[in-house]
Amino acid sequence: MRQAGYQRRRGGGSGSLRVTGGTLRGRRLRVADVGGLRPTPERTRETLFNWLRGRVEGARVLDLFAGSGALAVEALSRGAAEALLVERDPRAAAALRAACAELGIERHARVLRRDALAWLARPTDAGPFDLVFLDPPFAAGLAAPALAALARSSLLAEDARVYCERAAADEAPWDPSCWTVLRETRSGDSLAALLARTPATP
């Protein structure tokens, strides 16, 4: 299905998608031609940033399984202070660096070529982050373990928000002992939710 605002070059090769808001609104973000890459559609991005209204300005952002980088770029366009994009695929990571330079946001966007789950499992002083975007490949079943690892980490600010996309057919719910669902929406084969850490029981 063709995504609104997403253009793929004729004959294959990289495509591009449109930034929907902020200082980069209307600019196009180049997307690497990597199998399984699912750029978040315009409508979904607009819904997400409506949910996040008032929380993006000055935020520190973590984009796990960054892929196209669409969510981190949108956040930076809308006033986020900085973003760390974690992406395992070397072609996608290289495309992210090139795209950030082309858009003039490379000073605020750091691309880390790592496996997201392996990176989450190791101690790091990269946090705390105010916003986390978590959109792993659906077929790999990574959403639940990534959320569990994130909940155990020290990466989240006290009032952080986590946006997660997973396959709608995945029967594993958001773990209520770790996460409280603030907003949720379904689009085609995907289910997206805005999550906050569940307060610890005294």
Side-chain angles (χ1 to χ4, degrees):
M1 184 173 63
R2 185 175 182 272
Q3 297 175 356
Y6 179 64
Q7 296 179 353
R8 184 174 294 280
R9 290 182 180 176
R10 291 183 180 179
S14 61
S16 66
L17 54 84
R18 184 170 52 237
V19 181
T20 65
T23 58
L24 299 174
R25 183 177 182 179
R27 296 282 302 275
R28 301 205 72 88
L29 168 67
R30 295 188 189 277
V31 178
D33 184 24
V34 175
L37 201 63
R38 291 178 304 100
T40 303
E42 271 190 26
R43 184 176 298 177
T44 303
R45 281 180 276 138
E46 289 172 348
T47 296
L48 167 61
F49 284 96
N50 282 336
W51 289 350
L52 293 174
R53 190 167 295 159
R55 289 186 169 272
V56 180
E57 187 77 30
R60 298 191 73 234
V61 173
L62 174 61
D63 192 353
L64 293 166
F65 309 96
S68 70
L71 297 178
V73 170
E74 284 280 0
L76 289 169
S77 178
R78 295 166 186 258
E82 58 184 290
L84 176 61
L85 297 85
V86 181
E87 171 56 46
R88 180 179 65 179
D89 187 279
R91 291 171 299 165
L96 285 171
R97 292 189 182 99
C100 289
E102 184 176 353
L103 292 170
I105 57 174
E106 69 273 21
R107 291 179 58 190
H108 306 283
R110 179 187 171 205
V111 178
L112 185 64
R113 189 165 75 82
R114 294 285 191 279
D115 177 89
L117 280 182
W119 183 76
L120 284 171
R122 296 174 181 172
T124 175
D125 58 357
F129 293 97
D130 307 293
L131 301 175
V132 178
F133 301 133
L134 182 60
D135 184 12
F138 283 1
L142 298 173
L147 281 171
L150 193 59
R152 293 191 300 267
S153 77
S154 59
L155 290 168
L156 299 178
E158 184 175 352
D159 196 29
R161 294 292 182 265
V162 176
Y163 170 79
C164 183
E165 285 190 46
R166 63 176 173 88
D170 185 354
E171 296 182 359
W174 319 111
D175 184 351
S177 68
C178 297
W179 304 105
T180 298
V181 179
L182 305 176
R183 300 284 190 116
E184 193 173 50
T185 186
R186 179 171 178 163
S187 177
D189 65 348
S190 67
L191 186 67
L194 185 66
L195 312 170
R197 257 182 171 166
T198 300
T201 304

